[in-house]
Amino acid sequence: MLELLKDLWMFMKERKKFWLAPIIVILLLLGLLLVFTQGSAVAPFIYTLF
């Protein structure tokens, strides 16, 4: 996983694609939110957002 992040950073650094960083962070946060709330009572409220 660490190697993937390092490769992604090197790609963004070489190609000057720093605008991808906020998109990747938001997608990771949304993914973590869905994973952590899947078994809780908050899950129905999270799924209505999407």
Side-chain angles (χ1 to χ4, degrees), residues 12-44:
M12 289 190 306
K13 188 175 169 184
E14 280 183 27
R15 309 261 187 198
K16 307 290 189 223
K17 303 276 185 188
F18 292 111
W19 56 270
L20 285 173
I23 296 170
I24 293 169
V25 169
I26 295 291
L27 287 175
L28 286 174
L29 288 175
L30 285 175
L32 288 173
L33 179 69
L34 288 176
V35 167
F36 287 129
T37 60
Q38 190 171 5
S40 71
V42 182

